[in-house]
Amino acid sequence: MKTLEPILAKHPFFAGLQPHYLELVTGCASNMHFKAGETIFQEGDEAKQFFIIREGTLRLQVFAPGQGEISIQTLESGDVVGWSWLFPPHRWHFTGRATSALRVIALDGQCLYTKCEQDHGLGYEFLKRFSHIMMDRLQATRLQLLDLYKVN
Amino acid sequence: MLLSAEPAVTTTFSSDPMIPRPYEIQRAKWDSSDTFSLELTPVGGGDIPAFEPGQFNMVYVYGVGEIPISISGDPARRDMLIHTTRAVGTVTRAMSELKVGMMLGVRGPYGAPWPVDEARGKDIVIVAGGIGLAPLRPAMYRILAYREHYGRVVLLYGARTPADVLYRKQLEQWRAHFDLDVFVTVDRATNNWRGSIGLVTQLIVRAPFDPLNTMAMVCGPEVMMRFTTLEMEKRGVNSDNIYVSLERNMKCGIGLCGHCQFGREFVCKDGPVFRYSQVRHFLTKWEV
Ligand SMILES: Cc1cc2nc3c(=O)[nH]c(=O)nc-3n(C[C@H](O)[C@H](O)[C@H](O)COP(=O)(O)OP(=O)(O)OC[C@H]3O[C@@H](n4cnc5c(N)ncnc54)[C@H](O)[C@@H]3O)c2cc1C
Ligand code: FES
């Protein structure tokens, strides 16, 4: 039977993950497709998954009264989106919308959580990877806040 | 012919490097709400002086003041001098109010250029932020004129909002080149913008180039350049192969007054384009 394991193995997020862990992760993975314009997750909804982008782009958006939807970041092939499943209250902070045909692998948070609790080695691998992404996003957000191109 | 103020303009070209040569504005165009391009020709005719990509002129708005502005036109064209300027203060605002037919004084070209010739045989990554695309445009023209001498050519450009994106038409033309990778991103946008949203530094991680055989040229606000170089180094580009263009206040523009001193270097004479490994120490130090 063909599994998603070889696809996950090639994704930068899983680079260097031991094969037996990859096998465990694959058990929580499913393939998904979205059309351009489709909502992948909605701000405020329960966050049960995170997504590995294989192909296409999506935008993170927030809704501001009077201004409508404001887009704050584009994510694309190679990116990972979503860590709200890791922390209570497990709700999406942003809306994710496909801006082109999008192919992702969805990873079930509850399934992974259980496996990480059973094997802390796997949990550590995940935390390392997510902290890295969080640090990158935090730095990018700080720079965005600096509004680098404004006139002093 | 209209004059901008009441300049003591002479139409003879002086050999004194401190005396500006008068130029007439042939065309004035707003590229965004605060940035404009002026096309200039020497009063009395003739070619503009030959220049290298990355060099700048000292531009004198008669009666107001003189400032350094990079040349943003095609180095292969000697019939027209182009400067793209962002109106930020006294001189640049006065410059933005000049009309076709008015005059400006120009001295130059000055400064060390982008290493476009040294970069032959390598992949080229040009990273520009905001008005930083202006000093890099001549490098793009030169590289495209000798495209076969280079490996992959990648342009990464970040602006504040879609309305601030400079040279839109040109970017679209470049994007259509099959042998050029052009990525544009903005820091914030509404839903009408189809392109990417995020910092220009975030484009580096997936840009298609070979880090071990790449020459990078970076121009933008200093903080943006620092973070860009960090990302470049993370990808494996050696800091000797990363070049940045620095801005410091200038007076003479030719290494005489010391106004633009930066550590041991004079930005006007030794720069404005520097190898990153040469200036990184100063860039990460405050108040130099
Ligand atoms: C080598 C070199 C090349 C340059 N090339 C260009 C170019 O191609 N196009 C261009 O638009 N500028 C360029 N500059 C910057 C330009 O010289 C300055 O913007 C200009 O000197 C400002 O003069 P001003 O009298 O209008 O502003 P000032 O009255 O001196 O300053 C007014 C305010 O604007 C702020 N300010 C000044 N400069 C900048 C800036 N660059 N960015 C943001 N805020 C600023 C100051 O902090 C101050 O608060 C270059 C500078 C150097 C050193
Ligand atoms: S501006 Fe006078 S030395 Fe550089």
Side-chain angles (χ1 to χ4, degrees):
Chain A
M1 194 181 76
K2 263 176 126 182
T3 75
L4 293 173
E5 196 172 324
I7 299 170
L8 288 178
K10 274 198 228 139
H11 198 279
F13 182 74
F14 292 110
L17 192 70
Q18 290 167 29
H20 68 283
Y21 281 152
L22 208 53
E23 207 183 309
L24 283 177
V25 173
T26 308
C28 302
S30 54
N31 219 350
M32 293 178 88
H33 296 248
F34 296 91
K35 290 195 204 103
E38 251 186 292
T39 301
I40 300 138
F41 47 86
Q42 179 81 43
E43 183 180 351
D45 283 358
E46 195 182 349
K48 297 181 192 162
Q49 296 165 308
F50 75 94
F51 302 95
I52 303 278
I53 305 178
R54 292 178 62 193
E55 243 181 74
T57 53
L58 75 77
R59 271 186 187 186
L60 293 183
Q61 301 178 318
V62 275
F63 183 79
Q67 292 181 62
E69 281 161 352
I70 303 170
S71 298
I72 53 163
Q73 196 182 4
T74 309
L75 296 168
E76 58 185 280
S77 160
D79 282 327
V80 171
V81 55
W83 53 67
S84 303
W85 64 279
L86 266 169
F87 309 106
H90 308 290
R91 304 236 162 246
W92 289 106
H93 291 78
F94 300 106
T95 293
R97 182 151 298 145
T99 40
S100 68
L102 189 69
R103 294 171 72 196
V104 297
I105 293 179
L107 287 135
D108 182 321
Q110 189 55 51
C111 167
L112 272 178
Y113 207 88
T114 312
K115 290 185 182 179
C116 290
E117 284 294 335
Q118 284 163 358
D119 186 334
H120 289 178
L122 176 65
Y124 177 61
E125 290 295 337
F126 262 91
L127 279 185
K128 265 201 302 194
R129 286 167 168 75
F130 270 107
S131 345
H132 198 261
I133 294 177
M134 286 179 191
M135 190 192 71
D136 279 352
R137 300 266 164 87
L138 175 66
Q139 276 182 355
T141 308
R142 281 178 171 158
L143 285 179
Q144 244 165 329
L145 282 175
L146 275 178
D147 201 359
L148 292 177
Y149 306 122
K150 74 166 189 286
V151 174
N152 298 325
Chain B
M1 179 188 297
L2 288 161
L3 299 181
S4 68
E6 62 299 358
V9 175
T10 54
T11 47
T12 47
F13 179 34
S14 167
S15 57
D16 181 339
M18 293 305 288
I19 307 246
R21 181 179 179 186
Y23 275 68
E24 185 179 328
I25 300 173
Q26 300 299 337
R27 198 159 166 248
K29 174 176 160 280
W30 284 94
D31 298 297
S32 74
S33 61
D34 63 3
T35 302
F36 57 96
S37 290
L38 298 180
E39 293 182 5
L40 308 161
T41 51
V43 169
D47 281 348
I48 66 162
F51 71 94
E52 287 299 310
Q55 286 195 299
F56 67 94
N57 281 319
M58 293 302 291
V59 177
Y60 182 37
V61 180
Y62 292 113
V64 184
E66 194 182 41
I67 51 167
I69 298 290
S70 306
I71 306 170
S72 66
D74 183 348
R77 282 189 64 178
R78 303 282 303 279
D79 58 331
M80 187 79 70
L81 176 64
I82 306 181
H83 283 297
T84 302
T85 309
R86 188 174 183 202
V88 293
T90 315
V91 181
T92 48
R93 284 210 189 98
M95 199 171 154
S96 75
E97 283 157 15
L98 300 180
K99 305 273 181 289
V100 170
M102 288 181 161
M103 289 207 287
L104 277 169
V106 176
R107 300 190 279 129
Y110 299 135
W114 296 110
V116 277
D117 294 334
E118 271 170 78
R120 288 183 179 208
K122 291 190 189 316
D123 288 355
I124 304 282
V125 182
I126 289 186
V127 191
I131 183 75
L133 185 57
L136 280 164
R137 189 166 69 159
M140 282 294 291
Y141 284 126
R142 174 68 64 80
I143 289 162
L144 290 178
Y146 298 94
R147 181 65 191 85
E148 68 280 9
H149 294 300
Y150 302 94
R152 296 197 79 143
V153 179
V154 182
L155 169 65
L156 309 176
Y157 176 46
R160 190 169 186 241
T161 70
D164 297 310
V165 172
L166 298 181
Y167 314 138
R168 262 170 184 264
K169 265 204 187 131
Q170 189 134 45
L171 286 170
E172 275 162 28
Q173 284 166 3
W174 286 341
R175 210 200 292 263
H177 278 233
F178 69 94
D179 56 356
L180 199 58
D181 290 294
V182 177
F183 301 95
V184 179
T185 186
V186 296
D187 284 3
R188 57 202 70 189
T190 57
N191 280 346
N192 307 334
W193 169 250
R194 299 262 200 82
S196 171
I197 301 167
L199 296 168
V200 70
T201 49
Q202 291 168 295
L203 299 176
I204 293 166
V205 66
R206 270 183 296 275
F209 61 88
D210 170 8
L212 299 180
N213 187 36
T214 284
M215 190 76 100
M217 303 174 205
V218 186
C219 189
E222 236 165 75
V223 178
M224 168 260 168
M225 292 199 285
R226 288 212 307 264
F227 280 85
T228 298
T229 48
L230 264 179
E231 288 301 319
M232 283 288 177
E233 288 184 305
K234 263 201 232 164
R235 277 277 314 252
V237 181
N238 189 305
S239 61
D240 282 343
N241 292 329
I242 305 174
Y243 286 76
V244 294
S245 182
L246 298 186
E247 278 190 17
R248 286 295 179 271
N249 285 340
M250 290 185 182
K251 265 219 160 89
C252 70
I254 51 174
L256 297 177
C257 71
H259 221 75
C260 65
Q261 196 162 358
F262 176 76
R264 269 177 307 162
E265 323 284 349
F266 286 177
V267 173
C268 65
K269 186 168 61 75
D270 306 311
V273 174
F274 290 95
R275 214 184 264 271
Y276 185 59
S277 52
Q278 192 186 346
V279 293
R280 79 173 326 145
H281 178 63
F282 298 110
L283 275 183
T284 45
K285 220 186 200 175
W286 292 9
E287 303 295 338
V288 173

